[in-house]
Amino acid sequence: MTIESSRAEISRFRSAAVAGTLTFDPDAARRCADLYEEQAEHLAQLRQALENASETEGFGGFVSAQQLQAGFAHKARDAAELLDRYIEAAYRMKEAFLLSAGLYDEADAAAAAALRAVDTRVRG
């Protein structure tokens, strides 16, 4: 499953929650939402580690060493961008579960966190 197909599934889940065709008990929805929050936080930690890895030094002054360093930094940035998409998806799942229980204020906070993940990617 690709991130694009996952995003489509999340969108359908969210739409069903908003329409009221999919409902969860508030406690169950919060427990599920908490799992996605934990996932997003773990992914954010991984992203931070990638950012730190992309700022490598010690490759030396040769042109080939600088090219190698640039290549590693590029791969780290690509991986960080992918992690941003997964972070956004985790927050969107959290939002959908909360919406399915009618917990709109909490769902708004999750949607805002998802937008911050997108904003990080856009500004990056």
Side-chain angles (χ1 to χ4, degrees), residues 103-116:
L103 302 169
Y104 301 112
D105 290 339
E106 294 172 55
D108 284 347
L115 290 174
R116 283 192 298 277

Side-chain angles (χ1 to χ4, degrees), residues 41-58:
E41 289 173 359
H42 179 71
L43 291 169
Q45 290 172 357
L46 290 174
R47 188 190 190 295
Q48 184 60 49
L50 274 173
E51 282 184 14
N52 294 340
S54 71
E55 299 169 3
T56 57
E57 294 183 15

Side-chain angles (χ1 to χ4, degrees), residues 8-116:
E9 290 292 325
I10 293 167
S11 179
R12 283 191 285 280
F13 176 46
R14 184 186 182 284
S15 294
V18 169
T21 58
L22 176 69
T23 60
F24 278 85
D25 170 78
D27 290 335
R30 280 192 180 105
R31 284 193 304 271
C32 292
D34 287 346
L35 291 173
Y36 282 102
E37 173 80 23
E38 289 172 19
Q39 182 181 28
E41 289 173 359
H42 179 71
L43 291 169
Q45 290 172 357
L46 290 174
R47 188 190 190 295
Q48 184 60 49
L50 274 173
E51 282 184 14
N52 294 340
S54 71
E55 299 169 3
T56 57
E57 294 183 15
F59 279 84
F62 293 112
V63 172
S64 61
Q66 292 170 353
Q67 291 170 337
L68 184 61
Q69 181 179 1
F72 279 120
H74 181 72
K75 287 184 183 296
R77 283 191 304 276
D78 288 348
E81 182 179 320
L82 185 59
L83 282 175
D84 285 341
R85 291 178 185 213
Y86 282 106
I87 292 167
E88 176 194 8
Y91 282 120
R92 292 293 180 195
M93 283 297 296
K94 177 182 178 178
E95 175 193 17
F97 272 106
L98 295 168
L99 286 169
S100 73
L103 302 169
Y104 301 112
D105 290 339
E106 294 172 55
D108 284 347
L115 290 174
R116 283 192 298 277

